[in-house]
Amino acid sequence: MAYRSLNPFTERTVRTCDEHTAAEVEAKIAKADALFRSDWSRGPIKARLAVLEALAGLLTDNRDVLATAMAEEMGKPLAQGQGEIDLCAGIAAYYADKAAEFLKPQPYDTDLGEAWTEFHPIGVLLAVEPWNFPIYQLIRVVAPAIAVGNPVLFKHASIVPHCAALFEDLVMQAGAPDGCVTNLYISSDTVSELIGDDRIQGVALTGSEGAGSKVASRASEMLKKSTLELGGSDVFVVLDDADIEKAVAAGVEGRLSNAGQVCTGSKRFIVQKAVAEAFIDGFVEGMKSAVMGDPMDPETVLGPLSSEDALKDLTGQVEEALSHGAKALTGGKPSDRTGFFYEPTVLVDITPDNPAYYQEFFGPVAQVFVVDDDDAVVAQANDSHFGLGGSIFSGNIDRARKLASRIETGMVFVNSTTTSMPELPFGGIKRSGFGRELGDVGIKEFVNRKLVVISEGKAASTVG
Ligand code: NAP
């Protein structure tokens, strides 16, 4: 796909960017690889953490510039973009503060003598990232990589080239050496070629199942480590003892934030019968009354979808769901206005034979299921190909805790929507991918955990 910023609110092209030539790409890989072989990557962590600290400050200083670029390129309402940048600054600051401790050698008890693992960089990483959180998706990979000493080449989504360039520039302003973090305007075919390059040692992809499957198969063919953060169809469970007003407000926010284009957005609402009417009435009302409009207007809650293709895909999915027996309690079609807007939509009566039942709706479309008891909640929640996050709303924490451990996902939040914090490991199971980003776990996805043993001369047989 060609790199192009097209404002989804005005439907006008703002800029186009040429792809990097093969010679430019080669020069960028060579620079990144040279950095990996230098003292910067292998020497003391202090210099790398200073970059992260400076980057945290620069992200905060450039909050409005970055939030405006996101609004312009993919339609995120300004306040939501500003919130994203605050989180990104928090992630940079978190690793600046904690990485040295996470990467300290870890001792092991053994009869052989003294033993420990050290954490070393493995080489240049390739990050392939989506447009929905244009800066957060990058910082999740880049911040731990800088701390570890792995240079990163990134291929951002082709609809957010300006966000990609702004991010690269801020990392350089933070004092990173050449080759530390490099923006590539390249095609999917070039991604595949790069994974075959010996200088690239790992690939992290966030995006769709299709792209994840292609990139991970190529990585496994070339015997490279990969992590995948893919789609989700997160449950939002409302138990019969929940605070309904709180659940309604959270449900509307969880479904409409970023125009519903969030991997961990609340997508499947599973509501117990006793509170179904109260929840559904409030939820439909909340969805209907969301303020739709210009992402640059501070009052806007619901902006346009990111692109015309996104609008076409969602429209087709809902039409198919309705033609297979689903009913729309509100919405069900694109909004009749300029811009790629879709009406907030609530679907019920989705049976397992409806294609919608197992699909992710990447837009402001909620699926609602009414069930009886806690076992039915678990059965409905786990009847999904995805396993990213999920929420449970309940007034009884013990009950919610038990259910949380029975839901097959990488993350469950009680009495809040699924969210992301620098210190909390983020990731999923099943078709939502593998590996974790953020926290103490995320920083160790792309490291050489090198074992060193100082033998005290005790006998050991040779194995392996
Ligand atoms: P996408 O089409 O898979 O795009 C993601 C990135 O992959 C883009 O940079 C894209 O480049 C690239 N790409 C696409 N096909 C590729 C291929 N065959 N080889 C190499 N790279 C390829 O994803 P999307 O549909 O825009 O994003 C939405 C999906 O991402 C949703 O399913 C969502 O749930 C998921 N997501 C997951 C997380 C998470 O953390 N789990 C977070 C956000 C989004 P182009 O733009 O040039 O096509």
Side-chain angles (χ1 to χ4, degrees):
M1 234 165 117
Y3 280 82
R4 180 172 68 147
S5 315
L6 190 154
N7 186 323
F9 176 65
T10 62
E11 302 186 24
R12 295 217 182 96
T13 298
V14 181
R15 68 178 65 73
T16 55
C17 300
D18 290 335
E19 276 187 19
H20 287 121
T21 63
E24 285 169 334
V25 172
E26 168 51 36
K28 287 172 191 291
I29 302 175
K31 249 184 208 159
D33 186 55
L35 186 69
F36 170 61
R37 290 169 201 295
S38 74
D39 285 351
W40 158 263
S41 277
R42 288 141 192 258
I45 193 171
K46 216 167 150 208
R48 301 193 297 276
L49 298 188
V51 170
L52 288 179
E53 205 180 320
L55 182 59
L58 283 164
L59 284 163
T60 303
D61 294 347
N62 288 276
R63 187 176 187 250
D64 289 347
V65 173
L66 293 162
T68 303
M70 291 192 248
E72 185 182 82
E73 289 194 312
M74 48 70 68
K76 187 181 304 244
L78 199 64
Q80 295 175 29
Q82 290 164 336
E84 176 176 339
I85 300 307
D86 292 343
L87 173 59
C88 294
I91 291 169
Y94 169 77
Y95 281 116
D97 182 38
K98 298 278 185 203
E101 183 190 320
F102 295 152
L103 298 173
K104 257 194 208 145
Q106 184 182 331
Y108 283 88
D109 281 336
T110 169
D111 289 343
L112 287 184
E114 194 186 349
W116 66 92
T117 47
E118 297 172 357
F119 301 101
H120 294 282
I122 58 168
V124 181
L125 306 181
L126 178 62
V128 181
E129 301 299 336
W131 45 265
N132 67 338
F133 288 87
I135 305 299
Y136 164 76
Q137 302 293 1
L138 293 174
I139 197 86
R140 283 202 311 191
V141 176
V142 162
I146 290 179
V148 167
N150 290 321
V152 179
L153 300 169
F154 69 86
K155 180 240 178 297
H156 215 326
S158 47
I159 64 170
V160 288
H162 187 44
C163 289
L166 285 173
F167 182 79
E168 180 188 48
D169 189 47
L170 285 184
V171 179
M172 295 305 287
Q173 281 184 46
D178 247 11
C180 179
V181 172
T182 308
N183 172 32
L184 296 176
Y185 292 138
I186 53 172
S187 68
S188 302
D189 288 347
T190 309
V191 166
S192 177
E193 275 169 39
L194 293 194
I195 295 171
D197 189 303
D198 281 342
R199 293 165 293 185
I200 290 174
Q201 284 302 313
V203 54
L205 176 137
T206 295
S208 60
E209 285 174 74
S213 156
K214 291 219 168 71
V215 163
S217 350
R218 177 70 177 143
S220 96
E221 183 191 9
M222 299 314 297
L223 304 175
K224 308 265 168 90
K225 162 100 191 226
S226 66
T227 57
L228 296 182
E229 297 285 358
L230 306 179
S233 191
D234 283 10
V235 288
F236 184 103
V237 173
V238 186
L239 296 183
D240 52 18
D241 57 10
D243 175 337
I244 296 302
E245 208 176 310
K246 188 174 165 189
V248 164
V252 172
E253 203 270 327
R255 187 60 298 218
L256 295 188
S257 176
N258 206 22
Q261 304 162 116
V262 182
C263 54
T264 51
S266 311
K267 293 175 188 147
R268 292 182 296 140
F269 291 78
I270 303 178
V271 188
Q272 286 192 320
K273 219 173 240 164
V275 290
E277 196 180 328
F279 177 81
I280 292 171
D281 286 353
F283 183 57
V284 168
E285 206 37 54
M287 291 283 276
K288 268 194 207 165
S289 54
V291 180
M292 187 190 270
D294 184 350
M296 290 302 293
D297 182 340
E299 296 301 308
T300 296
V301 171
L302 180 60
L305 297 183
S306 62
S307 67
E308 192 170 10
D309 281 350
L311 182 62
K312 265 192 209 146
D313 289 350
L314 189 68
T315 304
Q317 263 185 303
V318 174
E319 278 170 3
E320 186 181 50
L322 296 173
S323 73
H324 283 79
K327 207 168 99 199
L329 297 184
T330 184
K333 58 182 189 325
S335 184
D336 186 17
R337 56 186 295 164
T338 302
F340 308 131
F341 287 92
Y342 198 87
E343 290 181 353
T345 297
V346 178
L347 298 179
V348 292
D349 297 344
I350 301 167
T351 47
D353 59 343
N354 191 324
Y357 188 84
Y358 288 112
Q359 285 173 358
E360 175 188 29
F361 282 76
F362 218 53
V365 178
Q367 308 189 14
V368 180
F369 302 90
V370 177
V371 300
D372 283 321
D373 55 16
D374 290 9
D375 286 344
V377 164
V378 172
Q380 180 80 51
N382 291 345
D383 191 12
S384 171
H385 301 315
F386 295 107
L388 194 52
S391 318
I392 300 171
F393 280 74
S394 172
N396 180 338
I397 298 302
D398 279 346
R399 183 181 174 198
R401 201 192 288 264
K402 280 186 196 120
L403 280 188
S405 65
R406 295 173 66 194
I407 290 182
E408 294 165 358
T409 57
M411 304 170 276
V412 180
F413 286 70
V414 173
N415 290 334
S416 112
T417 50
T418 311
T419 188
S420 175
M421 295 289 283
E423 64 276 15
L424 299 179
F426 186 105
I429 58 168
K430 301 200 226 173
R431 287 196 205 165
S432 294
F434 44 77
R436 292 291 182 272
E437 289 180 341
L438 300 178
D440 59 335
V441 182
I443 197 172
K444 292 187 179 152
E445 285 286 0
F446 294 102
V447 292
N448 175 9
R449 295 160 184 256
K450 184 190 287 173
L451 174 69
V452 182
V453 179
I454 310 291
S455 174
E456 289 171 359
K458 295 184 179 119
S461 50
T462 307
V463 290

